[in-house]
Amino acid sequence: PVERSMVVIKAKYDGRQVILPDGLPNIAPGEVILVFEDAGRADEAHAWQSAQESAFAKAWDNDEDAVYDSM
């Protein structure tokens, strides 16, 4: 079995290409999955995204999981 992991990166799309932020962690080339926010429902999507970000922060921003930050 292939071991997989997920890295979440907030980026921008200019209509032709995805523009990644500077200072990304060392990530090997490979396949990606892009999820685009629906502009027609931006307020609702933003509310869901904020809820998800805070939930992820509670789960991942702790001393017990900090060992995975260097992997």
Side-chain angles (χ1 to χ4, degrees):
V2 175
E3 185 175 325
R4 297 176 186 232
S5 64
M6 183 178 0
V7 176
V8 178
I9 300 169
K10 191 171 188 173
K12 295 191 182 226
Y13 177 65
D14 69 2
R16 290 185 51 100
Q17 61 186 343
V18 175
I19 302 168
L20 300 173
D22 292 332
L24 291 177
N26 187 16
I27 301 171
E31 292 185 2
V32 298
I33 298 171
L34 298 174
V35 178
F36 288 87
E37 182 174 275
D38 183 356
R41 300 174 66 186
D43 290 338
E44 180 182 348
H46 181 70
W48 279 108
Q49 182 179 357
S50 294
Q52 292 168 349
E53 287 174 354
S54 63
F56 282 133
K58 288 177 187 174
W60 291 337
D61 291 343
N62 63 67
D63 292 337
E64 188 173 309
D65 287 338
V67 66
Y68 297 105
D69 294 343
S70 62
M71 296 180 95

